[in-house]
Amino acid sequence: LFPPDTPEELIKVRKGIDKEGISWFATVLPQTRSPDWPTHKPIVFIQEPGDTVFVPGGWHHVVMNMTDTIAVTQNFCSPQNLHVVWPRTVRGRPKLSQRWLEILKEKRPDIAKRIAGFDPDDMGGLPYSSSSTSSSSSSSSSS
């Protein structure tokens, strides 16, 4: 885990390397352990069977399953964080945002009207992350 103010260019897997979690752990994590790493050190932990992890909105995170695993995740959007979630969804998952907007027009026209005023380039004061909302994960392992 890295806080939202961690420069994304420092923690992204370089071009030409696949974006699987294992590539991040093999190439980026060792750099973060260097004494000259210029920013926050990562919060690294092993989630044991039955543990629940809460990832705050905007926090960068990478996951590697070490055994056969079942994970249940949940992202959360409310009227209070919509100004952050919507622009990130438009930029990061445009097809999902289109489907979501159609449902909102039908079920919550009040929110659909609010969305019309959002600038998709305004990231709500937080850097872009694929984790656009707060999320939690619980895990169980076969071992």
Side-chain angles (χ1 to χ4, degrees):
L1 295 170
F2 288 92
D5 63 340
T6 304
E8 190 172 349
E9 64 274 5
L10 290 177
I11 56 176
K12 283 182 94 169
V13 174
R14 303 289 180 247
K15 289 188 185 232
I17 300 174
D18 69 64
K19 293 184 179 181
E20 295 296 324
I22 189 68
S23 298
W24 188 91
F25 282 95
T27 62
V28 179
L29 181 62
Q31 295 173 24
T32 70
R33 294 187 168 154
S34 166
D36 59 342
W37 179 250
T39 187
H40 305 286
K41 296 286 186 186
I43 299 169
V44 179
F45 58 91
I46 296 177
Q47 183 179 8
E48 299 291 342
D51 288 352
T52 298
V53 174
F54 174 77
V55 179
W59 279 61
H60 307 279
H61 63 283
V62 178
V63 175
M64 180 172 62
N65 297 323
M66 299 172 74
T67 63
D68 291 340
T69 303
I70 297 172
V72 178
T73 63
Q74 180 65 46
N75 291 322
F76 179 74
C77 177
S78 71
Q80 288 72 35
N81 70 356
L82 185 65
H83 67 286
V84 174
V85 174
W86 180 252
R88 289 179 178 189
T89 304
V90 169
R91 288 183 59 180
R93 303 198 54 198
K95 289 180 183 178
L96 172 65
S97 68
Q98 291 171 4
R99 289 191 307 252
W100 188 15
L101 180 57
E102 291 306 313
I103 292 168
L104 286 171
K105 284 178 181 176
E106 178 186 331
K107 307 273 183 185
R108 292 294 306 268
D110 58 315
I111 292 178
K113 286 179 186 174
R114 282 182 55 200
I115 286 173
F118 291 161
D119 176 358
D121 293 324
D122 178 5
M123 299 310 290
L126 294 174
Y128 175 77
S129 168
S130 62
S131 176
S132 62
T133 59
S134 298
S135 65
S136 63
S137 172
S138 61
S139 177
S140 62
S141 172
S142 61
S143 38

